[in-house]
Amino acid sequence: MGTSLSVNYALMAGAGLAASGGLLPFLLSLALVAGFNFLSSRDPMRALKAVPCGETLRTLVNGREIDCLTDNVSYGGYRGRNTLVVGGKFVKEFPRWREVVECLLRVPYSETPQKILGYSSSFLMVAVGFVLPPGLFAIAVLYALAFVMMMGVAAYLVRRTKKHIPEDCKEVMKEYAEFYRKKAKERDKRSIVID
């Protein structure tokens, strides 16, 4: 999920950079961002390289009207509006993965704050780009802003999820967070883990 989030913010920074070219590029960038947001709201998981879950994972989400996606390479677990995304390596390497998945399914999902954050941050990039003169300064400001906003949104989502985790799940979720942090650092020592 982190990769798709960073690609989204890089695209938004690019739209902001295009907007620095004047009124017509600004209007085109607004239209591009509006179209991107519309498509993302219809299928927010489409950017992921994931396939439908196998039988074991599907049995955990049966009767909940939630789709289940997985991959072969990630350690993450994430609950979207109507989709649960479970990393394939997480299932293979974390012994208590089933408990974590059941806990994620119990966390209430609220779409409104995520939509407000996503839409406002993407339109903000275009607005900031419009007031900046084109050039290296605009590139530096927009990509720095994209990074700060991406980290801020990720921190908000993690904090919101932790706040709504049922009390009987806190111990296993803490263990999972430590596991995830360790695996992320093994993969890339420069990785930033928000927990």
Side-chain angles (χ1 to χ4, degrees), residues 49-51 70-75 86-90 92-93 187:
K49 292 181 179 177
V51 296
T70 189
D71 62 21
N72 292 320
V73 296
S74 69
Y75 291 98
V86 180
K89 286 195 173 182
F90 162 54
K92 289 177 186 163
E93 297 181 29
R187 190 180 274 179

Coordinates of all heavy atoms in Angstrom, one line a residue, residues 49-51 70-75 86-90 92-93 187:
K49 N -1.1 -4.3 -6.7 CA -0.8 -5.6 -7.5 C -1.2 -6.7 -6.6 O -0.4 -7.4 -6.0 CB 0.7 -5.7 -7.8 CG 1.1 -4.6 -8.8 CD 2.5 -4.8 -9.2 CE 2.9 -3.7 -10.2 NZ 4.3 -3.8 -10.5
A50 N -2.5 -6.9 -6.6 CA -3.1 -8.0 -5.7 C -4.1 -8.8 -6.4 O -4.6 -8.4 -7.4 CB -3.7 -7.3 -4.4
V51 N -4.3 -10.0 -5.9 CA -5.3 -10.9 -6.5 C -6.3 -11.3 -5.4 O -6.0 -11.2 -4.2 CB -4.5 -12.2 -7.1 CG1 -3.6 -11.8 -8.2 CG2 -3.8 -12.9 -6.0
T70 N -4.9 -10.2 -1.8 CA -3.6 -10.6 -1.3 C -2.6 -10.5 -2.4 O -2.9 -10.3 -3.6 CB -3.7 -12.0 -0.7 OG1 -2.4 -12.2 0.1 CG2 -3.8 -13.1 -1.7
D71 N -1.3 -10.5 -2.0 CA -0.2 -10.6 -2.9 C 0.8 -11.6 -2.4 O 0.6 -12.3 -1.5 CB 0.4 -9.2 -3.1 CG 1.0 -8.6 -1.8 OD1 1.3 -9.5 -0.9 OD2 1.2 -7.4 -1.6
N72 N 2.0 -11.6 -3.0 CA 3.0 -12.5 -2.6 C 4.2 -11.9 -1.9 O 5.1 -12.6 -1.5 CB 3.5 -13.3 -3.8 CG 2.5 -14.2 -4.4 OD1 1.8 -14.9 -3.7 ND2 2.4 -14.2 -5.7
V73 N 4.2 -10.5 -1.8 CA 5.4 -9.9 -1.4 C 5.3 -9.0 -0.2 O 6.3 -8.6 0.4 CB 6.0 -9.0 -2.6 CG1 6.3 -9.8 -3.7 CG2 4.9 -7.9 -3.0
S74 N 4.1 -8.6 0.3 CA 4.1 -7.7 1.4 C 3.8 -8.3 2.7 O 3.3 -9.4 2.9 CB 3.0 -6.6 1.0 OG 1.7 -7.1 1.1
Y75 N 4.0 -7.5 3.8 CA 3.8 -7.9 5.2 C 2.6 -7.1 5.8 O 2.4 -7.2 6.9 CB 5.0 -7.6 6.0 CG 6.2 -8.5 5.6 CD1 7.2 -8.1 4.8 CD2 6.3 -9.8 6.1 CE1 8.3 -8.9 4.4 CE2 7.3 -10.6 5.8 CZ 8.3 -10.2 4.9 OH 9.3 -11.0 4.6
V86 N -4.4 -8.2 2.5 CA -3.6 -9.0 3.4 C -2.3 -9.4 2.6 O -2.4 -10.1 1.6 CB -4.3 -10.2 3.9 CG1 -3.4 -11.0 4.9 CG2 -5.6 -9.8 4.6
G87 N -1.2 -9.0 3.1 CA 0.1 -9.4 2.5 C 0.4 -10.9 2.6 O 0.2 -11.5 3.6
G88 N 0.8 -11.4 1.5 CA 1.1 -12.9 1.4 C 2.2 -13.3 2.3 O 2.1 -14.4 3.0
K89 N 3.3 -12.5 2.5 CA 4.4 -12.8 3.4 C 3.9 -12.7 4.8 O 4.4 -13.4 5.7 CB 5.6 -12.0 3.1 CG 6.3 -12.4 1.8 CD 7.7 -11.8 1.7 CE 8.4 -12.3 0.5 NZ 9.7 -11.8 0.4
F90 N 3.0 -11.8 5.1 CA 2.5 -11.6 6.4 C 1.8 -13.0 6.9 O 2.1 -13.5 8.0 CB 1.5 -10.5 6.4 CG 0.5 -10.4 7.6 CD1 1.0 -10.5 8.9 CD2 -0.8 -10.3 7.3 CE1 0.1 -10.4 9.9 CE2 -1.7 -10.2 8.4 CZ -1.3 -10.3 9.7
K92 N 2.4 -16.0 5.7 CA 3.3 -17.1 5.8 C 4.3 -16.9 7.0 O 4.7 -18.0 7.5 CB 4.2 -17.1 4.5 CG 3.4 -17.6 3.3 CD 4.3 -17.5 2.0 CE 3.4 -17.8 0.8 NZ 4.1 -17.4 -0.4
E93 N 4.6 -15.7 7.4 CA 5.7 -15.5 8.4 C 5.2 -15.1 9.8 O 6.0 -15.1 10.7 CB 6.7 -14.6 7.8 CG 7.4 -15.1 6.6 CD 8.4 -14.2 6.0 OE1 9.1 -13.4 6.8 OE2 8.7 -14.2 4.8
R187 N 14.1 -5.2 4.8 CA 14.0 -5.0 3.4 C 14.7 -3.8 2.9 O 15.3 -3.7 1.9 CB 12.5 -4.9 3.0 CG 12.2 -4.9 1.6 CD 10.7 -4.8 1.3 NE 10.1 -6.2 1.3 CZ 8.8 -6.4 1.1 NH1 8.0 -5.4 0.9 NH2 8.4 -7.6 1.2

